[in-house]
Amino acid sequence: MKSNSITKTKQHAREALLVQYFLCGFIFATLLSRYPDLKICYGMTMTQLSGVPLSMSIGSLCTMPLCVHLMARFGSKKMTLAGFVYILLLPLLAQMPNIVALYIIGFLYGSFVSMLDVAMNGNSIIVENAYKKPIISMFHAFFYVGVCAGSVLSVVFISTGVSVQLHYFLVSLFSLALFAFIRQYYLKETIVEFKMPSKKKILFPKGLLLFLAFVALCGRVVEGSVSNWSTVYMHTVVEFPEYLAPLGLAIYAAFMSLGRFFCDAIRKKHSESSILMVCCFCAALGVLIIILNKAYYFAFVGLLIAGLGISCLVPIIYSLAGRQKDVTPAMGIAMVNTISGTGFLFGPFVIGLIADAFGMRASFFYIWCLTIVMTILTVSYQRKEKKNRTSLVLHDETSLKQGGNS
């Protein structure tokens, strides 16, 4: 009877998290799909528009070090309360009187997104540990199922003339009700006693965790940049009608989710560092195809391949970070995010500057350069991991010999 109760609790937690990831992706797509409308609504240039994700990134970066301490003290389930504020802030992004006020709301929005992101990723590691098998990629797959669904709904809303203000309000209302229902099913972890420094200071990753953080840094810049700017790229470079522009994001999201659905099965058969290498290569190839030609089919194929390439990066990095020694899963993820979160700080803003100076197509060349850097970092991580593994084996053999001699 007790066994059945535990199984049910795990199942409910897993299902709740799947819905949560879907919901976050749905909101994410809703926000990004209406960027062209926000640009018109506030009368912004490309650089000013890039200030919206920049303000969110600054909020996220400023909050991330605090998340480590909050997670150590309260745990992931209590931290998910940030989700209520995050959802309520969405409609305000289209209601501000001026651009400065928009940036302030963007800062707050990014702060609470950061808290929820760490909390739900930490909770997903707890559920994965409870199942004792890889399932975290499935959660991240549902994020992009949500992005795909949100993009398609955005096409419908834009086609029927629904304003950006009403669109954001309806999505916020729906999300708030659903989030309030599913949150009760999250698992509550046992808080690990962790002695915090007497002086509050930022906790940075070390060793292999540091390599993971910098791979995640480039990966999140690429993933976030393609997500943030694909709709604008389709509208300004490919010259798709505004109501069809979100289809590029929908294709990218569909293949992101497809890659993540199969990621857990691939992780069982191949080493995670090898998977990271293949992912980096595919991401570089996909972005290169996007910038080679302005034809829509080049953009679609490029977004498809880039989506598959980027799909497994975050689940693998978060899973590895969550299994490091001497830190809780949520703390490991928060430490990685302290570094990788800076990717969202300079990524979108630099793209906006390049787009204003040289065009949106040139900004995607910058994204392609980052995929090359990401590949080099992954090779470095793979070598470091192999070296550490060899050292550990030699140490074990030495210990066995000494034990045998005694």
Side-chain angles (χ1 to χ4, degrees):
M1 194 75 173
K2 189 177 179 181
S3 177
N4 288 340
S5 176
I6 293 171
T7 302
K8 255 188 174 180
T9 302
K10 288 194 303 184
Q11 287 176 346
H12 287 157
R14 179 174 174 270
E15 289 163 3
L17 280 168
L18 288 173
V19 175
Q20 175 65 74
Y21 276 85
F22 174 89
L23 197 57
C24 286
F26 190 79
I27 295 169
F28 185 62
T30 300
L31 173 66
L32 300 185
S33 296
R34 302 308 295 253
Y35 265 17
D37 293 287
L38 283 179
K39 182 174 179 288
I40 295 168
C41 184
Y42 289 99
M44 294 186 284
T45 64
M46 282 291 189
T47 302
Q48 289 172 325
L49 179 61
S50 68
V52 177
L54 175 66
S55 64
M56 293 176 183
S57 302
I58 294 172
S60 177
L61 184 64
C62 291
T63 308
M64 193 57 65
L66 178 64
C67 287
V68 180
H69 300 279
L70 292 175
M71 291 297 290
R73 184 171 180 181
F74 299 110
S76 60
K77 185 172 182 178
K78 285 185 180 179
M79 279 291 292
T80 58
L81 287 168
F84 288 108
V85 184
Y86 147 64
I87 294 169
L88 287 169
L89 286 172
L90 177 65
L92 296 181
L93 291 168
Q95 301 283 355
M96 291 298 100
N98 53 56
I99 297 173
V100 174
L102 172 64
Y103 290 165
I104 293 170
I105 294 297
F107 177 91
L108 294 173
Y109 185 88
S111 297
F112 285 97
V113 167
S114 180
M115 291 182 194
L116 180 63
D117 180 51
V118 171
M120 69 186 204
N121 276 293
N123 210 267
S124 67
I125 296 292
I126 295 163
V127 174
E128 183 178 66
N129 291 340
Y131 271 87
K132 297 179 181 177
K133 63 179 182 179
I135 60 169
I136 194 171
S137 296
M138 182 66 72
F139 296 134
H140 290 274
F142 265 75
F143 175 86
Y144 275 97
V145 172
V147 172
C148 191
S151 301
V152 172
L153 181 66
S154 295
V155 170
V156 174
F157 274 15
I158 295 169
S159 302
T160 53
V162 175
S163 68
V164 61
Q165 290 85 358
L166 181 58
H167 187 178
Y168 282 3
F169 174 76
L170 291 174
V171 169
S172 179
L173 197 64
F174 163 75
S175 302
L176 200 62
L178 187 56
F179 180 67
F181 173 72
I182 63 172
R183 190 181 165 274
Q184 62 186 306
Y185 297 109
Y186 294 157
L187 292 182
K188 185 177 180 180
E189 74 269 43
T190 303
I191 305 298
V192 176
E193 189 176 341
F194 183 78
K195 190 176 181 181
M196 303 302 291
S198 55
K199 293 182 179 180
K200 298 291 182 185
K201 60 181 181 180
I202 297 173
L203 300 176
F204 285 104
K206 298 176 182 178
L208 284 175
L209 199 59
L210 185 63
F211 274 88
L212 288 173
F214 280 103
V215 173
L217 167 64
C218 290
R220 289 187 70 183
V221 174
V222 174
E223 180 181 348
S225 297
V226 176
S227 298
N228 274 283
W229 295 103
S230 58
T231 300
V232 178
Y233 186 91
M234 293 298 295
H235 183 52
T236 58
V237 178
V238 182
E239 298 180 348
F240 252 40
E242 186 184 338
Y243 71 94
L244 289 177
L247 286 177
L249 179 60
I251 289 171
Y252 173 71
F255 282 89
M256 280 284 290
S257 60
L258 183 66
R260 288 184 176 178
F261 275 125
F262 290 101
C263 185
D264 288 327
I266 296 169
R267 282 169 62 196
K268 291 177 183 177
K269 297 180 179 179
H270 304 281
S271 71
E272 290 175 319
S273 57
S274 298
I275 299 170
L276 285 177
M277 279 294 301
V278 175
C279 286
C280 291
F281 174 77
C282 288
L285 178 62
V287 177
L288 182 62
I289 291 171
I290 293 170
I291 60 179
L292 278 177
N293 196 294
K294 293 195 289 185
Y296 73 90
Y297 44 85
F298 269 80
F300 283 169
V301 171
L303 287 167
L304 180 159
I305 296 172
L308 283 174
I310 299 167
S311 61
C312 293
L313 284 174
V314 171
I316 290 174
I317 290 170
Y318 277 176
S319 182
L320 289 169
R323 296 201 304 269
Q324 297 299 307
K325 294 179 180 179
D326 304 322
V327 293
T328 65
M331 287 175 63
I333 291 168
M335 286 181 186
V336 167
N337 277 350
T338 299
I339 300 295
S340 66
T342 59
F344 287 115
L345 178 63
F346 63 79
F349 188 69
V350 171
I351 288 173
L353 290 173
I354 296 171
D356 265 343
F358 306 104
M360 182 56 66
R361 196 174 175 191
S363 67
F364 267 66
F365 177 76
Y366 159 73
I367 297 172
W368 177 76
C369 291
L370 289 175
T371 63
I372 301 302
V373 174
M374 184 170 66
T375 304
I376 295 169
L377 286 170
T378 305
V379 172
S380 300
Y381 168 79
Q382 195 174 35
R383 288 176 178 174
K384 179 74 173 175
E385 184 188 44
K386 188 176 179 180
K387 185 179 178 181
N388 283 7
R389 197 162 49 235
T390 304
S391 299
L392 187 63
V393 170
L394 290 172
H395 179 268
D396 290 343
E397 288 177 353
T398 303
S399 299
L400 284 170
K401 285 178 182 178
Q402 288 175 349
N405 292 334
S406 61

